[in-house]
Structure formats: C-alpha cells, structure tokens
Amino acid sequence: MIRVIIVDDEALVRSGFTMILNATPDIRVVASATGVDALEVIEAEKPDVLLLDVRMPQVDGLTLLNVLNGRPDRPAIAMLTTFDADEYVLAALNAGASGFLLKDTEPEQLAQYVRALAAGGVVLAPRASQRLLASHPPTASVMDAEAERVGTLSDREQQVLTLVAEGLSNAEIGGRLYLGAGTVKDHVSAILAKLGVAGRVQAALAAQRAGLLPDRDAAS
C-alpha cells in the first residue's frame, strides 16, 4: 500500500485528491494538512509520497521542501500547482522535488503519477514542463553545453534517459529494455555523470530541453 499525504491550503483540493486516490486499491491517503500543520502530520504518518502545494499563504511549499530535505527518511515529493509556468515550481525541482502535478490533472492519471513517485520515478507532464522550461530558459551558452553533453550519450543511454524522463523506475526501465537492475543503475549513474547533474529530475529536464520527449503528455 502506497501511503500518501496531501498538503494544500485549499480544502477542496485536499478532499478531491483524497477521494480520487482512495478509490484505488493500492494507494491510501493517510492524512491531509495545511502548510502550518504539515511537518507534524508528516512526522506522525511517515508517508511514501507527499503531494505539496508550492504556494501557500503561511508556510509555503518551498520552505517545507527545504526542511524535509534535511531528513534521511523524507518521502518522494511532488509539488502541486495551478500554474504550468511558475518559477516557484522550477525552484522546487532544482531543490530536490521529484516533479510537479497540475491541480487539474486528470483523475485517471493521478494514481499513475503517485505510483511513479513511490517507485522512485519523476513526474513531469511533458507539455506542461516544456512550457515551464520555455518560460525560464537557460542562457544560450548553457543550452549549447547541455546539448553537447546529451550528444555524448550512447544510443542506449539516450533510451534510458528518455524512460527516466517518462517517470519509470530502474526496475521498470529494466523490464522495458530487458536489462538487469544493476545494468540500469550503471546506465543512470553514467548519464548523471555525463550530463553533470545531481539527480533524475535534472536529467529529465535535460531530456525535455533536448527534445527527447516530443509531443508526449503521459506520466513522466
């Protein structure tokens, strides 16, 4: 059972997400909270996945993310937002969030996203993240350097990177490409090193900018 906590200042969002996720057999929303109460609830329930509103009036999501980053047992965290081009979301991704969800995510996709997060994947809906990146583009020199690094990846590494950006865990990538878990782990480590990034989210964003995920809008 995947244990989920939803932190959002809007009661309608909390109740709606709870209803959708609790209708699935393998996911349970164990608590929901506002930003003010979030840390206490997270400490008590120890969820596998945390869906965290990026903008809240008293204690915002970025503040909570930074506090949780210092804890060894922190859950997988995806930011919730009504904006698909929001500098706060990009800051959260750079600070260690495993992705972001739009609050108008289709109900049937929501459970898929939560499962991806629980399995160690990332969640970046491609069209939304492409608009996000387009609104906050890096400098031309940075883009050129990143494109050059992506170009150094082997065909297999580009396949693995594409699946990382689609939100698949190492085990799922192995199943898709008929590779052992250790081999996938080695590929991911090599990709992160070649791209010069710290984690899967930054690698997924690089894949987005490199055009490895054209016109896709599935869980990623």
Side-chain angles (χ1 to χ4, degrees):
M1 186 69 67
I2 300 171
R3 295 167 56 82
V4 179
I5 286 179
I6 301 164
V7 176
D8 195 294
D9 272 19
E10 297 180 45
L12 187 59
V13 172
R14 298 195 305 271
S15 62
F17 274 44
T18 297
M19 184 185 309
I20 292 167
L21 292 174
N22 280 348
T24 65
D26 58 331
I27 300 171
R28 190 64 59 234
V29 177
V30 294
S32 64
T34 64
V36 172
D37 302 322
L39 287 177
E40 182 179 350
V41 172
I42 293 165
E43 180 63 28
E45 296 293 342
K46 295 181 171 50
D48 303 302
V49 173
L50 175 63
L51 304 182
L52 177 60
D53 189 6
V54 72
R55 285 182 172 176
M56 293 179 285
Q58 293 177 285
V59 179
D60 66 77
L62 280 174
T63 298
L64 289 169
L65 174 63
N66 288 326
V67 172
L68 292 169
N69 277 341
R71 301 187 177 188
D73 58 345
R74 87 164 176 83
I77 300 172
M79 311 309 290
L80 298 176
T81 181
T82 55
F83 304 94
D84 54 18
D86 187 336
E87 68 274 14
Y88 290 93
V89 173
L90 196 55
L93 297 179
N94 289 329
S98 296
F100 75 98
L101 299 174
L102 303 181
K103 291 186 182 181
D104 62 355
T105 295
E106 293 294 329
E108 61 269 20
Q109 289 184 319
L110 184 58
Q112 296 175 23
Y113 289 145
V114 168
R115 293 185 188 106
L117 290 163
V122 299
V123 171
L124 300 170
R127 292 192 183 107
S129 56
Q130 286 166 4
R131 290 193 292 267
L132 173 68
L133 294 172
S135 68
H136 300 84
T139 64
S141 61
V142 170
M143 285 285 288
D144 289 344
E146 184 175 75
E148 184 176 346
R149 289 193 292 270
V150 171
T152 67
L153 301 180
S154 68
D155 290 343
R156 176 64 84 188
E157 287 169 344
Q158 289 201 16
Q159 287 180 316
V160 172
L161 175 59
T162 299
L163 296 178
V164 167
E166 289 181 350
L168 274 66
S169 66
N170 285 357
E172 291 168 329
I173 293 171
R176 185 77 63 88
L177 299 179
Y178 304 103
L179 299 173
T183 301
V184 175
K185 184 177 179 180
D186 289 343
H187 279 313
V188 172
S189 296
I191 290 166
L192 299 183
K194 289 183 179 181
L195 296 181
V197 297
R200 297 170 82 95
V201 167
Q202 285 72 31
L205 293 175
Q208 292 277 352
R209 286 189 287 260
L212 297 183
L213 295 172
D215 300 323
R216 299 184 187 182
D217 200 20
S220 65

